[in-house]
C-alpha cells in the first residue's frame, strides 16, 4: 500500500513538473514567435493602427526595461539591473517552482507565467544586443498604454494573480508549518 502511494505521489509530482515545463516553453515560444513576426513584418514601417487605433503596432528595441523605465541610467548599471539581477531572480523563481513540484501551491501557476515572460525578455536581451523587441500599444483616443510585448503581458498577468493569491490567502494557510 505504501509503495502505491509513493508511486502515485511521484507521478503527480512528475506531471506537475512537466506541466510547468510545458507552460514555460509555451510562454517563451509564443512570445519569441510574436517578436520574430514583429521584426519581420514591422521593420521599417511606421505605426500601423487597427480598430480606430485601439490596437497599434510599432516596432522598437527597448533597452530600458519595462516601459523604458531605466533608459536614462548608465549602460553598465542598466546591464546589471536588467540582465544580472533579472537572471538571479529568474533562477530563484525556477528553483522555487521545480522544488514545489513536490507539493501544490497557489503561487506556482502565476510564477510560471512571470518566469516564462521574464525568461523570454531576458533571452531577447542576449539575442538582440541588450534590447527587447516591443511592438504593441493599446489605446482609446489619447489614452494609450506604453509599448509592450507578449512577455510583458505574461509577467503582468502572472504578477496580478500572484498578488491576488498573496493578499487573499489567510495567514494560517499561506504559511505552512
Amino acid at each position: 500500500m505504501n509503495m502505491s502511494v509513493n508511486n502515485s505521489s511521484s507521478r503527480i509530482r512528475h506531471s506537475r513538473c512537466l506541466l510547468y515545463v510545458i507552460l514555460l516553453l509555451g510562454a517563451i515560444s509564443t512570445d519569441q514567435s510574436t517578436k520574430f513576426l514583429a521584426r519581420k513584418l514591422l521593420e521599417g514601417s511606421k505605426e500601423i493602427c487597427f480598430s480606430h487605433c485601439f490596437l497599434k503596432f510599432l516596432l522598437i528595441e527597448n533597452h530600458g526595461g519595462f516601459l523604458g523605465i531605466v533608459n536614462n541610467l548608465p549602460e553598465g548599471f542598466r546591464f546589471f539591473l536588467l540582465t544580472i539581477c533579472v537572471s538571479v531572480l529568474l533562477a530563484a523563481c525556477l528553483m522555487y517552482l521545480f522544488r514545489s513540484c513536490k507539493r501544490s501551491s497557489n503561487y506556482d501557476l502565476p510564477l510560471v507565467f512571470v518566469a516564462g515572460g521574464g525568461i523570454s525578455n531576458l533571452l531577447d536581451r542576449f539575442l538582440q544586443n541588450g534590447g527587447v523587441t516591443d511592438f504593441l500599444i493599446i489605446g482609446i483616443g489619447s489614452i494609450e498604454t506604453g509599448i509592450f510585448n507578449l512577455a510583458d503581458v505574461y509577467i503582468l498577468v502572472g504578477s496580478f494573480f500572484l498578488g491576488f493569491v498573496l493578499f487573499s490567502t489567510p495567514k494560517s494557510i499561506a504559511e505552512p508549518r
Side-chain angles (χ1 to χ4, degrees):
M1 172 112 177
N2 193 14
M3 183 66 111
S4 174
V5 171
N6 285 342
N7 285 339
S8 176
S9 68
S10 178
R11 271 192 303 255
I12 290 170
R13 182 173 60 244
H14 285 89
S15 295
R16 194 175 295 128
C17 282
L18 180 60
L19 174 64
Y20 296 168
V21 168
I22 290 169
L23 290 173
L24 279 167
L25 292 176
I28 294 165
S29 64
T30 55
D31 178 62
Q32 288 297 311
S33 296
T34 58
K35 289 173 180 174
F36 174 80
L37 286 172
R39 286 189 296 271
K40 288 290 183 196
L41 300 174
L42 299 173
E43 185 151 13
S45 298
K46 293 183 180 183
E47 185 177 272
I48 300 171
C49 292
F50 291 97
S51 298
H52 303 288
C53 286
F54 173 74
L55 181 62
K56 298 179 187 181
F57 293 95
L58 176 66
L59 182 66
I60 68 158
E61 289 300 315
N62 178 356
H63 291 266
F66 180 70
L67 300 176
I69 200 164
V70 296
N71 264 341
N72 296 327
L73 295 177
E75 186 177 337
F77 191 58
R78 273 196 329 248
F79 176 82
F80 175 74
L81 285 175
L82 300 175
T83 305
I84 305 299
C85 291
V86 167
S87 296
V88 169
L89 288 171
L90 287 170
C93 186
L94 290 173
M95 285 179 14
Y96 171 83
L97 277 171
F98 289 105
R99 293 186 90 197
S100 74
C101 287
K102 298 174 185 173
R103 57 174 170 52
S104 180
S105 168
N106 291 337
Y107 310 128
D108 295 350
L109 285 179
L111 280 175
V112 166
F113 286 100
V114 169
I119 290 167
S120 192
N121 276 344
L122 187 62
L123 182 60
D124 247 27
R125 290 206 182 280
F126 290 121
L127 298 175
Q128 302 298 325
N129 197 30
V132 172
T133 302
D134 285 336
F135 59 92
L136 291 167
I137 303 168
I138 297 175
I140 299 174
S142 63
I143 300 170
E144 295 182 341
T145 64
I147 192 162
F148 61 96
N149 58 47
L150 194 55
D152 296 333
V153 173
Y154 293 142
I155 294 166
L156 284 175
V157 169
S159 297
F160 173 79
F161 282 108
L162 184 61
F164 178 78
V165 168
L166 286 169
F167 290 110
S168 66
T169 305
K171 274 276 197 221
S172 61
I173 296 172
E175 297 175 9
R177 295 180 183 212

